[in-house]
Amino acid sequence: MGERESNIPPSVLERMTKYLAFVQELADEGIEWVSSADLAKALSVNRSTVRQDLLHIDFSGISRRGYETKGFAKVLRRTLGMDLEWNMVIVGAGNVGTALALHGDLSRRGFYVGAIVDKDPERIGCEVGSMRVLDVSDLASVIEDHDIKLGVIAVPAAEAQSAADALIKAGIKGMLNLAMTHIAVPDKVSIVDSRIVADLLQLSHAVKNKLNI
Amino acid sequence: MGERESNIPPSVLERMTKYLAFVQELADEGIEWVSSADLAKALSVNRSTVRQDLLHIDFSGISRRGYETKGFAKVLRRTLGMDLEWNMVIVGAGNVGTALALHGDLSRRGFYVGAIVDKDPERIGCEVGSMRVLDVSDLASVIEDHDIKLGVIAVPAAEAQSAADALIKAGIKGMLNLAMTHIAVPDKVSIVDSRIVADLLQLSHAVKNKLNI
């Protein structure tokens, strides 16, 4: 990975997933070139934003006609880490954990649910899709056996920190926090907070403005 | 709502939810004042970011000692639309819709699930928590009966557009899209795409950098 491709701001990464979806569609339709104006229009952003964003990637397939779609999609996938496959363990086999485990679209993006664990004896051993719920106290061996780097915290807020602590102790590298609470982690472990409440607030703010409430 | 409080960028709204959580905690502990330096430290951002963000709100409780916590929390709640209550309808009573319907933390933020609907006759009439799954073809009366302004799209990607069309026809004002696909909507309706894949990509990007993969 080149220097330019590391530490890309989250907002740019988010737009890159959208550039990729658009460019991949064009490539699939046999369209060979895409301009930054096309990208800007498809995503409803300024052309200068597109150009700034694309400074983060190493891509040589540029001509007067724009970007070569197939090669461009490939570079975007690499930049986004989508050429890698990530095995995840879900901690919490309740509604949220089960919903995520059964969400087929994640694996299309390279995120595989390798295991799901819980601490509740009534849930351990139950089936979730083709998996059985494993015991959270076996996390270390689960993570090793399934070559897991990412953990998803899908437990109630009050149990989130202890779930995170268990994941960290078991050697996890990064966590997605679906519990709506703050979790403290050491620097060596990455954590991203899910934004469902932030999404809803953004939505209600937009509706409030439109309705002039 | 003042002019300054409308059209706040999503990134600022997101930080405001975090300022609020922090300030509310201080107020609950009886701490009367908070400085922008405290806020910056608690959220790991620059003091200038905090000051810029707070230009978006109308707040007079500022002194040498900083911001008066109780009043500040109140203004943040108003700015975020959290003084309003929002009734939502969930379209899709599968795993994702059910998980969201049973997610207790949303109502603490002012988002109430008023109804859940599905098109599958086998799901209609089933219980989800204390609700019964209603028929999607009754959406217009469901929205009117429950004073619903927001809809959540929790159906598979292939059905997302028709779910959105049904919501729009029934008079919805805004939608949260949990399906991982693009949905086209008219200007009068707001839509926010859930960012679970973007969250995972942000996480895997961070882990990739740390592990130097």
Side-chain angles (χ1 to χ4, degrees):
Chain A
M1 183 164 61
E3 183 58 38
R4 284 194 291 179
E5 293 182 17
S6 57
N7 296 314
I8 301 175
S11 56
V12 179
L13 285 175
E14 205 165 322
R15 281 193 295 277
M16 281 189 179
T17 65
K18 296 182 179 172
Y19 296 141
L20 175 58
F22 180 64
V23 170
Q24 186 63 59
E25 211 169 294
L26 296 180
D28 290 348
E29 289 171 11
I31 297 166
E32 272 185 81
W33 298 93
V34 61
S35 68
S36 54
D38 295 337
L39 286 167
K41 199 175 164 200
L43 270 79
S44 307
V45 295
N46 295 328
R47 285 178 68 167
S48 62
T49 303
V50 173
R51 292 220 185 86
Q52 287 286 334
D53 287 351
L54 299 185
L55 290 178
H56 289 283
I57 65 172
D58 274 316
F59 183 52
S60 56
I62 307 172
S63 83
R64 267 192 309 116
R65 286 178 289 176
Y67 305 89
E68 190 273 310
T69 52
K70 270 193 200 165
F72 190 28
K74 197 172 164 189
V75 171
L76 282 169
R77 269 197 300 276
R78 190 191 65 211
T79 306
L80 291 166
M82 288 168 129
D83 53 339
L84 299 175
E85 296 191 342
W86 299 91
N87 290 334
M88 308 190 291
V89 58
I90 296 174
V91 182
N95 291 297
V96 175
T98 302
L100 197 68
L102 300 177
H103 209 312
D105 285 339
L106 290 176
S107 56
R108 287 200 296 116
R109 317 294 181 104
F111 295 99
Y112 297 91
V113 179
I116 181 164
V117 302
D118 205 294
K119 67 172 188 180
D120 182 348
E122 292 204 359
R123 283 184 183 158
I124 295 167
C126 290
E127 279 180 25
V128 172
S130 60
M131 289 179 295
R132 274 195 189 282
V133 178
L134 303 176
D135 190 330
V136 71
S137 59
D138 295 330
L139 255 182
S141 60
V142 168
I143 285 177
E144 198 184 332
D145 292 351
H146 293 81
D147 188 25
I148 286 169
K149 295 206 171 53
L150 306 182
V152 179
I153 295 170
V155 298
E159 295 164 29
Q161 184 68 54
S162 63
D165 293 343
L167 280 166
I168 294 166
K169 201 176 156 202
I172 209 76
K173 305 301 179 195
M175 294 181 283
L176 176 66
N177 174 20
L178 299 181
M180 292 176 197
T181 188
H182 178 71
I183 293 178
V185 298
D187 278 346
K188 63 175 180 176
V189 177
S190 304
I191 189 159
V192 167
D193 292 322
S194 163
R195 293 171 287 185
I196 186 120
V197 169
D199 289 341
L200 282 171
L201 285 169
Q202 185 188 335
L203 178 62
S204 60
H205 186 75
V207 170
K208 189 173 145 178
N209 283 349
K210 276 190 186 161
L211 298 181
N212 222 344
I213 304 180
Chain B
M1 181 166 62
E3 182 60 37
R4 284 194 291 179
E5 293 181 20
S6 58
N7 295 315
I8 301 176
S11 56
V12 179
L13 286 175
E14 204 165 322
R15 280 193 296 275
M16 282 188 177
T17 65
K18 296 180 180 174
Y19 297 141
L20 175 58
F22 180 64
V23 170
Q24 187 62 60
E25 210 169 296
L26 295 180
D28 291 347
E29 290 171 12
I31 296 166
E32 272 186 82
W33 299 94
V34 62
S35 67
S36 55
D38 295 336
L39 285 167
K41 200 176 163 199
L43 271 81
S44 309
V45 296
N46 295 328
R47 286 178 68 167
S48 63
T49 303
V50 173
R51 292 221 185 85
Q52 287 287 333
D53 288 351
L54 300 185
L55 290 177
H56 290 282
I57 66 173
D58 275 317
F59 182 52
S60 55
I62 307 174
S63 83
R64 268 192 308 116
R65 287 178 289 177
Y67 304 88
E68 190 274 307
T69 52
K70 269 193 200 165
F72 190 30
K74 196 173 163 190
V75 171
L76 282 169
R77 270 196 299 275
R78 190 192 66 213
T79 307
L80 290 166
M82 286 168 130
D83 55 337
L84 299 174
E85 296 190 341
W86 299 91
N87 290 334
M88 309 189 291
V89 58
I90 295 173
V91 182
N95 291 296
V96 175
T98 303
L100 197 68
L102 300 177
H103 208 313
D105 286 339
L106 291 175
S107 56
R108 287 201 294 120
R109 317 293 182 105
F111 295 99
Y112 298 91
V113 178
I116 181 165
V117 303
D118 205 294
K119 67 170 188 180
D120 182 348
E122 294 205 359
R123 285 185 183 156
I124 295 166
C126 290
E127 279 179 25
V128 173
S130 60
M131 290 179 294
R132 275 197 190 281
V133 178
L134 303 175
D135 191 330
V136 71
S137 59
D138 295 330
L139 254 182
S141 59
V142 168
I143 284 177
E144 198 182 334
D145 292 349
H146 293 82
D147 187 24
I148 285 169
K149 294 205 171 55
L150 306 182
V152 179
I153 295 169
V155 299
E159 295 164 28
Q161 184 67 54
S162 64
D165 293 344
L167 280 165
I168 294 165
K169 200 177 158 202
I172 208 77
K173 305 301 179 196
M175 294 182 281
L176 175 66
N177 173 20
L178 299 181
M180 294 177 195
T181 188
H182 179 71
I183 293 178
V185 298
D187 277 345
K188 64 175 178 174
V189 178
S190 303
I191 188 159
V192 168
D193 292 322
S194 162
R195 292 172 288 183
I196 184 118
V197 168
D199 288 341
L200 282 171
L201 286 170
Q202 186 187 334
L203 178 63
S204 60
H205 186 73
V207 170
K208 190 171 141 177
N209 284 348
K210 278 194 185 159
L211 298 182
N212 221 343
I213 304 180

